[in-house]
Amino acid sequence: MTDKSYKKRMQRKKEYIDSRIDQANIDKGIIVLLTGNGKGKSSSAMGMICRSLGYDMKVALVRFLKGDQQTGEDLFLENHPNIVSAHMKSGFTWDTQDQELDKIKARETWTEAKQFLQNPEIAVVVLDEITYMINYNYLDESEILDSLANRPKDQHVVITGRAASQGLIDASDTVSEVEDVKHAFRANIRAQKGIDL
Ligand code: ATP
Ligand code: MG
């Protein structure tokens, strides 16, 4: 490609991008859904929490299905004045082998999440690993969709978890599927602090 035609192409590209930027003039609370089998869903949500806190926004972090495993972000954020959180305690079903107890814990955690989704003071609500609660029938999808639809209009929601249901995909504004190309765990490397937990 000649220098001149390259410049022309770049100029056209810039005009197109600028026109799209001009068109995107709406501000509203959006739902971001991070799904798929690859690593990077919850840590991406933590990245958005970090961005939000940088602007002094209030954040609610709700964790489903996390067991009792502590993460670096829990330690880092635990006493942050702009974060409220709710963590489902009893964790993976294959640990607890007690579906009824898991269901109760899921509902308790959802009750707290619902309150965050009604609170206009909270700018961002993270629902980490909630997809499993729907897929295991621990929580009712329609009730979750209803709360999402009726949340304060400027409130953002970040949802993570594998195998997101079609209802969640339809309700979301931004949906990313993280593909599992490779994971260190399969080379017998255990979860590393700062990267995996
Ligand atoms: P992260 O919290 O690191 O962003 P994630 O939220 O995308 O990961 P989860 O399914 O919630 O993924 O799993 C959390 C933990 O499992 C992390 O320690 C992560 O590194 C690990 N993990 C994620 N995907 C895989 C995979 N495909 N194979 C093995 N381990 C994985
Ligand atoms: Mg996760």
Side-chain angles (χ1 to χ4, degrees):
M1 197 183 299
T2 66
D3 206 30
K4 208 169 153 191
S5 66
Y6 176 76
K7 263 195 182 145
K8 211 167 168 183
R9 213 172 96 183
M10 285 300 119
Q11 179 61 28
R12 272 206 304 272
K13 199 167 179 171
K14 186 182 177 324
E15 280 165 15
Y16 174 72
I17 292 169
D18 286 349
S19 80
R20 291 308 306 257
I21 291 172
D22 286 344
Q23 271 175 50
N25 57 7
I26 301 167
D27 284 318
K28 76 186 272 284
I30 63 166
I31 302 178
V32 177
L33 172 60
L34 302 156
T35 190
N37 293 333
K39 174 196 159 40
K41 301 174 292 292
S42 298
S43 43
S44 169
M46 297 313 144
M48 284 177 268
I49 289 181
C50 192
R51 288 181 169 175
S52 306
L53 293 176
Y55 292 113
D56 221 21
M57 295 156 77
K58 287 207 178 357
V59 174
L61 170 57
V62 186
R63 284 239 169 95
F64 294 90
L65 204 78
K66 259 292 147 179
D68 301 319
Q69 177 157 72
Q70 190 158 51
T71 60
E73 64 267 22
D74 291 337
L75 297 168
F76 183 65
L77 297 170
E78 127 188 288
N79 295 317
H80 197 290
N82 279 354
I83 285 226
V84 284
S85 61
H87 291 197
M88 179 169 154
K89 281 292 181 225
S90 104
F92 299 95
T93 41
W94 48 92
D95 274 349
T96 59
Q97 305 280 321
D98 188 343
Q99 283 214 2
E100 279 317 303
L101 182 65
D102 282 353
K103 232 176 185 168
I104 292 166
K105 297 276 176 199
R107 283 221 61 85
E108 280 173 12
T109 311
W110 169 243
T111 302
E112 293 189 74
K114 235 172 16 185
Q115 280 160 12
F116 298 145
L117 290 166
Q118 289 166 3
N119 183 349
E121 305 266 287
I122 298 177
V124 181
V125 178
V126 174
L127 303 173
D128 193 37
E129 323 292 350
I130 198 173
T131 58
Y132 304 95
M133 301 297 106
I134 295 171
N135 298 344
Y136 294 173
N137 285 320
Y138 286 0
L139 297 176
D140 185 24
E141 187 195 47
S142 62
E143 192 185 335
I144 294 170
L145 296 180
D146 204 54
S147 289
L148 290 173
N150 292 304
R151 75 192 193 280
K153 68 174 178 32
D154 294 330
Q155 187 181 71
H156 301 300
V157 179
V158 181
I159 297 171
T160 83
R162 296 179 190 199
S165 63
Q166 193 58 47
L168 282 181
I169 293 171
D170 292 343
S172 300
D173 300 279
T174 297
V175 181
S176 294
E177 182 158 358
V178 184
E179 192 186 343
D180 179 17
V181 177
K182 215 172 175 185
H183 196 288
F185 186 67
R186 292 201 286 283
N188 293 334
I189 302 166
R190 72 178 97 190
Q192 297 293 302
K193 279 184 181 167
I195 300 297
D196 298 299
L197 67 152

